[in-house]
Amino acid sequence: MSFVSPALGPDPRPTGAAAVRALRDAVPAVHLPGTDGYARLTATSNLTRRVSPLAVVEATGAADVSATLRIAAAFGVQVGVQSTGHGATEEMRDALLVHTAALDELTVHPEERWARVGAGVRWERVLEATAPHGLAALCGSSPDVGVVGLLTGGGLGPVARSHGLSSDTVRAFEVVTGDGVLRRVTPDEHPDLFWGLRGGKGTLGIVTAVEIDLIELPELYAGGLWFAEADVPAVLRTWGRWCELLPEEGTTSAAVMRLPDMDPFPAPLRGQVTLHVRFAWTGDPAVGEEMVRAIRAVAAPVLDTVGVMPYAALGAIHADPVEPLPLHESHHLLHGFGVDGADRLLELVGPGVDSALAVVEVRQLGGRVREGEPCAYAHRDAAYSVFAVGLMIPEVAQVVTRDAARVADGLGPWVAEGGLPNFTDAAGTAWADRVFTPLVARRLRTLARTYDPAGVLLAARGVRAA
Ligand SMILES: Cc1cc2nc3c(=O)[nH]c(=O)nc-3n(C[C@H](O)[C@H](O)[C@H](O)COP(=O)(O)OP(=O)(O)OC[C@H]3O[C@@H](n4cnc5c(N)ncnc54)[C@H](O)[C@@H]3O)c2cc1C
């Protein structure tokens, strides 16, 4: 048996090479650098993010995950986890990667309104399976994202203000903790892990399956309103004021967009500054329509998709791109926004401003996001989040980072401490310092020492160092 990578020659990392050798005897699917399987499983949707582990274990069940963690501990190697590559932040150069895509079980229990979902399943499949029963699973804006990746980071979806965080719907996790033990985790069994897995991402273990509550929500009054450049200032100011009065049945965000003048972007939106107001109303559609009237009254949208839609079509609200792109992403929490915040954002990225950022989105939080049982999701009380994205293409790459910093500085008076686990594009200590309060980090560190005594989980290195 050879352990020489076809692409890289003899492995210069001897401890890693020995761990990989042991792994290949213990688990069926181990992919080495230079192979098609390795390239497929290390692919990321942000092309600026490279994932290059020593080897990839394509897990076929919890036993593979357990064997990988035990072998890694024995050889002093760390382990990362990936399912879709949508949230990759760690390069994993000296680590092993457990890939969960093959853990694809999905069972819906419509009578009892819950589902069991494997760690490799994307939200899209859950939406398709639950829709015929008029049931909904609380996902994020993009159904292409992985269920477990989103849930372990809290999960803020298009109906978050009326229905709360996605992680609040979890009944049970099945997780292999860093010590290699498969555990069932519920509010009654290992309640400490139940606290830490909701918001702590992969700091305490590799989840192999989750059981989630489903809600009765066959339809929504929802969609997007796109406004042309000339109307952006007036609509964004109105949106800033409107949010402050919006009841919690409504969840909304507004994104200042600079879409390139090229396919696949629709003609009326590309090559200019536009505003995309996203809106979802889970109450009476007639009341939702009344709510949106205030926005529609400011200017005629160039595109208006807001209406009654099946819950399963909610990906159309944000219309996130799914194809891989080279992106610079930055994120902040705000304690307020309002008309003054809108004015400042217009000065930073509005029409007539020279900005290289393709999207700057302000999401209103609050409502039922503030409620729910205590867990490691540390910033329930934030009022808004800002997410800025720039395309790292040669024409603008140099100025994208500068413009993202300008937005963060310019919104300084509104910026709150911290960041959300799913949106903070950093690794290690930088990620943990932003995502957790000192109290949450301390509790996670204690749990990490208990359940991962050898410090095998790569995702915990931030809380261990904090
Ligand atoms: C287009 C798009 C839209 C998004 N919209 C939202 C949104 O509306 N709301 C929101 O909250 N987030 C949103 N996100 C962020 C998303 O939730 C995170 O990037 C999430 O980490 C993606 O999970 P994944 O499994 O798809 O990605 P992956 O890259 O496969 O995994 C990312 C991370 O998730 C964790 N993870 C994955 N699988 C496991 C596992 N089995 N056990 C333990 N940890 C695991 C690990 O920390 C891993 O590094 C969006 C992302 C994209 C790309």
Side-chain angles (χ1 to χ4, degrees):
M1 200 182 295
S2 163
F3 301 103
V4 174
S5 142
L8 303 178
D11 195 319
R13 296 163 281 186
T15 314
V20 173
R21 202 155 37 239
L23 257 185
R24 292 188 79 185
D25 290 336
V27 296
V30 180
H31 301 273
L32 297 184
T35 62
D36 289 349
Y38 183 96
R40 174 173 53 85
L41 298 172
T42 54
T44 60
S45 62
N46 182 346
L47 298 176
T48 67
R49 289 293 179 182
R50 191 178 142 87
V51 175
S52 46
L54 296 164
V56 184
V57 173
E58 194 173 8
T60 57
D64 291 351
V65 180
S66 178
T68 306
L69 290 168
R70 287 176 196 269
I71 288 168
F75 286 89
V77 175
Q78 289 195 306
V79 181
V81 57
Q82 183 161 309
S83 151
T84 68
H86 276 320
T89 53
E90 300 272 3
E91 188 180 352
M92 305 186 195
R93 221 189 145 264
D94 297 314
L96 300 166
L97 169 61
V98 169
H99 203 282
T100 62
L103 305 180
D104 59 358
E105 63 172 306
L106 173 60
T107 317
V108 178
H109 301 269
E111 298 301 323
E112 295 154 334
R113 293 192 199 157
W114 65 281
R116 182 178 161 88
V117 187
V121 175
R122 298 177 193 236
W123 286 104
E124 190 169 34
R125 263 188 72 209
V126 184
L127 295 180
E128 279 167 13
T130 53
H133 308 288
L135 296 173
L138 282 194
C139 62
S141 62
S142 169
D144 201 53
V145 162
V147 171
V148 169
L150 181 118
L151 278 179
T152 48
L156 273 171
V159 300
R161 281 169 42 83
S162 59
H163 287 78
L165 289 178
S166 306
S167 58
D168 290 338
T169 66
V170 177
R171 293 174 163 212
F173 292 96
E174 273 169 25
V175 60
V176 183
T177 41
D179 53 9
V181 178
L182 173 65
R183 299 173 199 269
R184 184 172 169 83
V185 171
T186 69
D188 303 319
E189 298 164 85
H190 304 293
D192 49 353
L193 288 173
F194 193 69
W195 172 89
L197 288 168
R198 292 171 302 142
K201 298 225 69 158
T203 51
L204 299 175
I206 296 182
V207 174
T208 53
V210 285
E211 292 171 6
I212 53 173
D213 285 327
L214 303 172
I215 50 173
E216 212 175 316
L217 190 61
E219 289 181 336
L220 289 171
Y221 181 77
L225 301 157
W226 297 80
F227 294 91
E229 182 153 340
D231 299 320
V232 170
V235 179
L236 187 61
R237 282 194 196 103
T238 302
W239 184 84
R241 190 179 313 118
W242 180 73
C243 284
E244 293 176 338
L245 305 170
L246 189 68
E248 68 180 33
E249 288 98 323
T251 301
T252 184
S253 72
V256 179
M257 319 274 284
R258 281 177 166 74
L259 298 179
D261 191 5
M262 58 198 251
D263 287 334
F265 304 110
L269 305 175
R270 63 199 206 188
Q272 59 168 317
V273 178
T274 54
L275 184 71
H276 184 196
V277 174
R278 296 91 179 252
F279 179 64
W281 181 263
T282 56
D284 180 349
V287 181
E289 191 175 355
E290 206 45 51
M291 293 291 153
V292 173
R293 199 187 298 278
I295 299 291
R296 286 185 172 131
V298 183
V302 284
L303 235 157
D304 183 343
T305 66
V306 178
V308 175
M309 63 154 71
Y311 179 86
L314 96 172
I317 301 170
H318 284 240
D320 292 323
V322 291
E323 61 278 7
L325 291 166
L327 302 174
H328 178 278
E329 299 174 334
S330 59
H331 151 73
H332 293 275
L333 293 173
L334 306 182
H335 51 69
F337 188 65
V339 184
D340 293 345
D343 278 334
R344 179 60 62 85
L345 192 62
L346 289 165
E347 287 165 14
L348 296 164
V349 296
V353 178
D354 186 16
S355 170
L357 297 174
V359 182
V360 179
E361 182 208 46
V362 180
R363 251 188 224 214
Q364 190 187 15
L365 309 179
R368 291 193 52 198
V369 174
R370 292 182 198 271
E371 298 169 14
E373 293 298 310
C375 65
Y377 181 88
H379 297 289
R380 280 188 190 272
D381 53 349
Y384 294 83
S385 92
V386 179
F387 192 63
V389 182
L391 265 182
M392 297 297 273
I393 50 177
E395 292 84 344
V396 292
Q398 279 185 336
V399 287
V400 163
T401 319
R402 183 202 67 193
D403 288 352
R406 220 177 246 173
V407 167
D409 290 347
L411 288 174
W414 291 267
V415 169
E417 288 258 309
L420 301 179
N422 282 346
F423 294 106
T424 300
D425 188 40
T429 320
W431 177 78
D433 283 350
R434 286 204 65 209
V435 159
F436 303 119
T437 57
L439 206 66
V440 169
R442 204 172 314 134
R443 194 165 167 196
L444 282 173
R445 182 163 61 245
T446 305
L447 289 172
R449 285 180 181 154
T450 306
Y451 290 101
D452 179 16
V456 164
L457 293 167
L458 187 61
R461 74 190 162 96
V463 291
R464 281 175 176 275

